[in-house]
Amino acid sequence: MQRRRTGMIAVVSALGMTAVLGGCGLDGESADVTLRLVAADYGDSAANSSEKYWSALVEKYEADHPGVRVEVSVHSWNDVDREVKEMVEAGRAPDMAQIGAYADYADDGLLYTADDLLSIPVQAGFASRLASAGQVNGVQYGMPFAASTRLLFYNKSLFEEAGLTPPATWEELADAAGALKAEGVEYPYALPLGSEEAQAETMQWLLSGGGGYTDAVGTYGIDSTENVETFTWLRDKLVGQGLTGPVAPGGLDRADAFAAFAEGEVGMLNGHPSLMKMAADKGVKFGMVPMPGLNGESKATMGVADWMLAFKQNGHREEVGEFLDFVYSDKNVLDLSRRYDLLPVTNAASEAMGRSGEDREIKPFLDELPLAEFYPVGKTSWAAVSAEVKKRIGTAVRQGGSPTTILGRLQTTATTAESAAAG
């Protein structure tokens, strides 16, 4: 088979644990090459830890590749980026790592490209928006591993009691929130702009207002007129009217907002697929619709992708590429996606999920993927900008806050970080 080769793998974990899964080689034979993969767990308990996913996958791979051993270390999402960074700085880069960003390593010349590693059919099979989001200066270094989009969740029971229908515009959302408040709902609309994931809620609102972090050519435009108008509306029409609940948006984290929704305390909030199970487990009846926009349904939604990278240091380009081709087979991509309510990153797996009745609950999120816009992760400046958004954006919507000032400061941070990266 004709091959091009691309990058390394990593895995993701939400369990706060670290574990090492060692491959064993066929019939006890020693391996010629050992590949090391740093991964995080998508599971929320020991019962569905990603350790089990990787253990089964590695066992199958090694059975057909007796000269290769694959060792997977699983870390919490809170730790995995730091672990990889420390390994690289200590001169012990893993062969593969799956983390939230890749641009810094690519900029330092540490990564294989997708062309280096993956076979042509596998690389061509990535969803185009995801493949593009993995590029730096037109070259793909980040291989999408899993994706998600966002929808507006609403509590059906609370909506029925208030005589409401799902909103399609900002004005309808504000009106519905007002009616829910009148019914005594604690969080008519939960607006999590706390430090955990403020950059996500911010981006979803910016997109629904016709703006975003960057413009059409990829230049930061955080203080654009559209973005200032969006946050002015949030300040005046939602937060200022007492429609976002007892916790100030700047102090509300996504996890707490999700937990409150699962307890029946939230009328509406933006959510990703994992919220479906949380709510259903608590018996909450919910519906999902696209995010409302200023004058109608939002023309874009926020997408999030996790990335696979492959480091050059150990020189196992051929073995890494063959392993990644296996990882990205339709069967394995579908298995991962269905286990953890994630969106598949390949066209074939997406089409399979779209046709299958087994996946009907996640289909609304899948339908949003062609409209999804992603964080500007191809910019080495994004990490600094994201951190500053988490720190400051909540103050833009509080009483007396100035969206113009806060977004202007964020734009200055972005411009300075871009200049430093270019220099």
Side-chain angles (χ1 to χ4, degrees):
M1 172 173 35
Q2 182 182 5
R3 300 190 64 84
R4 293 179 300 180
R5 294 259 160 240
T6 182
M8 261 205 203
I9 269 187
V11 204
V12 198
S13 175
L15 293 186
M17 64 178 69
T18 301
V20 176
L21 311 176
C24 50
L26 189 62
D27 297 328
E29 297 176 5
S30 62
D32 298 321
V33 171
T34 297
L35 301 179
R36 292 178 174 82
L37 164 65
V38 176
D41 196 336
Y42 289 104
D44 57 10
S45 68
N48 70 346
S49 166
S50 291
E51 294 174 30
K52 294 185 176 180
Y53 172 80
W54 285 105
S55 180
L57 187 145
V58 166
E59 182 178 0
K60 291 177 184 177
Y61 185 79
E62 289 182 345
D64 291 330
H65 299 79
V68 179
R69 177 184 175 92
V70 183
E71 294 181 353
V72 183
S73 60
V74 179
H75 298 267
S76 160
W77 261 119
N78 294 328
D79 300 326
V80 68
D81 290 283
R82 175 180 50 79
E83 290 287 340
V84 172
K85 184 173 184 290
E86 290 177 354
M87 291 172 73
V88 172
E89 290 177 346
R92 298 181 291 102
D95 294 286
M96 299 167 280
Q98 185 268 310
I99 50 181
Y102 57 83
D104 285 343
Y105 298 123
D107 190 58
D108 289 339
L110 301 179
L111 302 180
Y112 287 117
T113 69
D115 285 349
D116 291 330
L117 297 166
L118 298 179
S119 65
I120 292 173
V122 169
Q123 188 178 0
F126 287 131
S128 59
R129 281 187 177 268
L130 291 167
S132 296
Q135 295 177 357
V136 176
N137 298 323
V139 179
Q140 185 179 358
Y141 294 93
M143 291 165 283
F145 183 65
S148 69
T149 55
R150 303 296 168 97
L151 292 170
L152 182 74
F153 281 69
Y154 65 95
N155 184 307
K156 283 188 172 181
S157 299
L158 296 178
F159 265 59
E160 289 170 4
E161 291 169 8
L164 299 171
T165 56
T169 67
W170 288 0
E171 182 178 2
E172 291 175 3
L173 186 149
D175 288 345
L180 292 167
K181 181 182 179 182
E183 292 289 325
V185 176
E186 190 166 5
Y187 293 90
Y189 177 86
L191 183 66
L193 295 177
S195 60
E196 180 192 7
E197 207 188 32
Q199 82 283 3
E201 184 75 9
T202 296
M203 183 170 174
Q204 183 64 77
W205 277 100
L206 296 182
L207 291 172
S208 70
Y213 286 121
T214 58
D215 61 20
V217 296
T219 302
Y220 282 114
I222 300 174
D223 60 348
S224 69
T225 299
E226 294 87 351
N227 291 347
V228 170
E229 290 176 350
T230 293
F231 267 78
T232 300
W233 187 90
L234 284 172
R235 181 195 64 188
D236 297 344
K237 301 299 184 181
L238 281 188
V239 181
Q241 302 300 317
L243 302 179
T244 54
V247 179
L252 182 64
D253 284 340
R254 183 201 64 184
D256 294 331
F258 277 22
F261 186 85
E263 293 296 333
E265 300 170 352
V266 175
M268 298 172 282
L269 84 170
N270 285 315
H272 53 61
S274 69
L275 184 55
M276 294 189 296
K277 184 176 187 301
M278 288 181 62
D281 286 348
K282 293 283 190 173
V284 172
K285 293 171 55 182
F286 62 89
M288 302 176 297
V289 294
M291 177 66 182
L294 179 59
N295 298 309
E297 182 181 307
S298 178
K299 294 180 174 59
T301 188
M302 191 192 74
V304 176
D306 301 327
W307 302 100
M308 238 19 125
L309 351 171
F311 289 90
K312 294 178 179 179
Q313 180 178 326
N314 301 317
H316 297 143
R317 179 178 64 87
E318 188 76 17
E319 292 83 4
V320 168
E322 289 178 356
F323 180 64
L324 288 180
D325 271 4
F326 177 73
V327 167
Y328 284 111
S329 69
D330 292 342
K331 179 181 183 301
N332 290 328
V333 171
L334 281 169
D335 184 19
L336 177 81
S337 301
R338 285 169 171 161
R339 281 181 188 235
Y340 300 110
D341 289 329
L342 298 166
L343 301 184
V345 297
T346 65
N347 293 317
S350 293
E351 291 167 4
M353 289 188 81
R355 294 191 303 265
S356 173
E358 176 186 351
D359 304 303
R360 61 184 178 277
E361 289 185 346
I362 206 167
K363 191 174 185 302
F365 294 95
L366 195 61
D367 291 342
E368 291 290 294
L369 194 56
L371 303 173
E373 300 287 346
F374 295 87
Y375 297 133
V377 290
K379 293 178 175 291
T380 57
S381 57
W382 170 241
V385 174
S386 177
E388 198 69 5
V389 170
K390 293 177 182 181
K391 180 180 177 181
R392 294 187 181 276
I393 198 64
T395 63
V397 296
R398 69 187 182 189
Q399 187 175 5
S402 171
T404 300
T405 299
I406 297 302
L407 294 177
R409 288 175 180 171
L410 292 173
Q411 178 64 26
T412 298
T413 295
T415 302
T416 301
E418 277 287 87
S419 297

